[in-house]
Amino acid sequence: MKYYKILFAFFALIAVSCTDELDFQEINSEDINTKSQNPTNMGVESIFIDNGVSQNCSRNMLVFQDADHYTQVMDDLEDLVDLHEDAFVAQYDYLDDDDFFQMEQQSGFNEFEPLEDFENSLGFCSLRKMLHNMQNDWLSQQPYQTDLSGSPEEVWFNLDDEYESTLLNEQGEVIIDRNLYKYYDDGIIIIDLTTNDLTDILTELNNGANPNDVASDYRPFVEVIEDVIPAQSSQGECYTRVRAGIFVELNHNTAARVSWRINDNVARYRLRHKIRSYTWTSSGWSRKRMRMHAGFEVGTTITGYTTPDCPLEYFIEEDEKNSKKRRKTRKYVFNLNRSYDVERWRYQDGVHTLATWNWVAGHEFFIPVSDMTFNP
């Protein structure tokens, strides 16, 4: 069934047919200067809005019907990339990891081709594309003795999600329903599109204005959801937004970067563990495809509700130790409906026992999140 769903998503991605234009009659702003006249992939529309930043693409904003539409497109894009990678890996799965690495380097295979096709069909310059270029430059400059922390793909807007960043412009902006959502380092800014000052608001924000000052100047059209990542952990403290990671040496000049986080996006609240594999070559560090899987250790815990002292715990009961695919990245995610006052994940340092489970090329290892470097 999932196979047919993926095929349907694939044909939806490449198909273009005529539908009604988006209705912006209720939006008073005159800052929306250009709108694509044809429908876009998966019901997504691309438009141009003057946000005070020079653009390299004809469209600089994507528009989604609602939060469900936004998350569904992310999920469908991930399915497309999975299908694309599975087809490639199946051709050469008989090779060992080193030979596979050499073959992939020589072939120039691009695992993110479905995402690029999606972006190009919309005339859209995504945050993903910008970060991909930044990440490659950053990785080429890292010495052998490094923990590979602080990379652009990990720390930019605290996203670390190539599928969501495909839907955002380079300034971290997207339109969902009647609001424009904008990521910034300490949270999310929500702008009501009925404002007549959209370009002024975005220009100020993109020129470094304090989001809270902008919200004060343009009430009630701007709301700031601030959720700062703490600079360091404190014993017994409860956290709703955390980022941490650790470098793990494997063998044969191979290594893994394990990271976990709890954070918001504009539609969901996520508890997520991710593992990336690397190899050292004559030209420096490179990503390497290996058999991998990621999860959380069964029986470890994290709080599931927002309360001052984190009294309630969520027990990790699922055993997700199958499907060791050949990938450069594997992740495991718990998603909750986004809310700013109830039912958000919270982590209490020194109390919860949450631990990641990792399997890379025959190496199985558990890493408690308390052992990771906080806010790398």
Side-chain angles (χ1 to χ4, degrees), residues 73-84:
V73 171
M74 273 194 285
D75 292 342
D76 288 345
L77 288 174
E78 186 169 3
D79 285 343
L80 286 174
V81 171
D82 248 1
L83 183 66
H84 177 62

Side-chain angles (χ1 to χ4, degrees), residues 12-75:
L13 179 66
I14 61 175
V16 176
S17 60
C18 294
T19 60
D20 294 335
E21 295 179 359
L22 293 172
D23 180 12
F24 280 92
Q25 291 181 353
E26 296 180 16
I27 300 177
N28 297 325
S29 172
E30 297 179 357
D31 301 313
I32 301 176
N33 299 321
T34 310
K35 179 172 61 175
S36 59
Q37 298 302 310
N38 295 317
T40 57
N41 301 305
M42 303 180 193
V44 181
E45 193 88 20
S46 60
I47 65 175
F48 176 81
I49 292 179
D50 183 0
N51 66 354
V53 179
S54 176
Q55 303 293 328
N56 296 316
C57 294
S58 58
R59 306 285 188 265
N60 70 339
M61 201 84 64
L62 298 187
V63 182
F64 296 84
Q65 299 160 16
D66 51 34
D68 289 340
H69 183 208
Y70 183 72
T71 56
Q72 186 61 57
V73 171
M74 273 194 285
D75 292 342

